[in-house]
Amino acid sequence: NLPSDATPVLDVTGKELDSRLSYRIISTFWGALGGDVYLGKSPNSDAPCANGVFRYNSDVGPSGTPVRFIGSSSHFGQGIFENELLNIQFAISTSKLCVSYTIWKVGDYDASLGTMLLETGGTIGQADSSWFKIVKSSQFGYNLLYCPVTSTMNCPFSSDDQFCLKVGVVHQNGKRRLALVKDNPLDVSFKQVQ
């Protein structure tokens, strides 16, 4: 059930996120510390479609790839709420071959980087590696958490994040790749795509 104290996630203009709309995930920092999140080709991947989740090296340059947030309690309305289990999908037109390459998930452990990288190929609403949460990180930003399926599946709005891991950035072949991190999670905000 949707708790009465559920807090909606807000975009940069202060409007509540809507699961029917597309957003860019942008850094709360500017310059070299900034940069939007985008879909790109993973190094050494033999996948037929772009399958990596990256962040541009600066906020000066290209805009990120739009995403949609698909909440686990969408039958309560179109809002997206803090601490709600959700799927993240790149909102792009694609061939049928690449449709499954739009849903975010956490990949296998990468020994060379010492972490698990975010990639695409997840499944909406399934008990796999595709569940995330948005949590408030600061006055102006949010963090993304990866929440593997646990007992929280029965309670999507559980605020117990002991089983959740932070999403941050690692460097892979000169690019900033989203991955699970122990420290320094990525602070982001959301900008509606017009």
Side-chain angles (χ1 to χ4, degrees):
N1 292 333
L2 185 62
S4 60
D5 63 346
T7 304
V9 177
L10 306 178
D11 69 12
V12 294
T13 66
K15 291 168 69 176
E16 296 179 7
L17 293 192
D18 185 325
S19 62
R20 299 169 295 182
L21 302 176
S22 297
Y23 298 88
R24 294 191 199 291
I25 299 175
I26 60 176
S27 173
T28 58
F29 298 104
W30 296 1
L33 296 176
D36 293 5
V37 172
Y38 71 97
L39 173 63
K41 185 79 170 164
S42 295
N44 305 317
S45 172
D46 58 359
C49 308
N51 63 335
V53 183
F54 296 89
R55 193 183 102 192
Y56 286 114
N57 290 331
S58 170
D59 70 336
V60 177
S63 294
T65 308
V67 298
R68 283 183 52 234
F69 299 102
I70 304 161
S72 58
S73 51
S74 58
H75 54 283
F76 289 110
Q78 303 306 322
I80 298 296
F81 299 90
E82 292 180 28
N83 291 309
E84 174 184 13
L85 287 174
L86 53 84
N87 296 120
I88 302 172
Q89 178 180 31
F90 282 115
I92 56 172
S93 57
T94 184
S95 67
K96 285 187 177 186
L97 171 70
C98 295
V99 167
S100 68
Y101 286 92
T102 62
I103 311 298
W104 291 27
K105 73 174 187 175
V106 173
D108 295 330
Y109 183 77
D110 184 305
S112 66
L113 295 171
T115 189
M116 298 167 75
L117 302 173
L118 267 61
E119 56 188 38
T120 60
T123 311
I124 294 175
Q126 296 299 311
D128 62 9
S129 58
S130 304
W131 288 113
F132 296 88
K133 285 185 182 181
I134 299 171
V135 296
K136 192 74 172 154
S137 67
S138 65
Q139 185 178 0
F140 302 108
Y142 294 93
N143 290 148
L144 300 175
L145 301 180
Y146 164 61
C147 299
V149 176
T150 63
S151 59
T152 59
M153 265 314 290
N154 297 325
C155 182
F157 284 88
S158 169
S159 60
D160 180 6
D161 292 327
Q162 67 182 5
F163 298 110
C164 295
L165 301 165
K166 301 169 186 171
V167 174
V169 174
V170 297
H171 293 276
Q172 182 186 39
N173 295 3
K175 295 182 178 180
R176 293 179 181 175
R177 180 83 182 256
L178 269 60
L180 302 183
V181 297
K182 291 181 182 172
D183 301 307
N184 300 319
L186 181 62
D187 276 340
V188 296
S189 53
F190 311 103
K191 185 174 184 180
Q192 183 181 337
V193 175
Q194 300 298 329

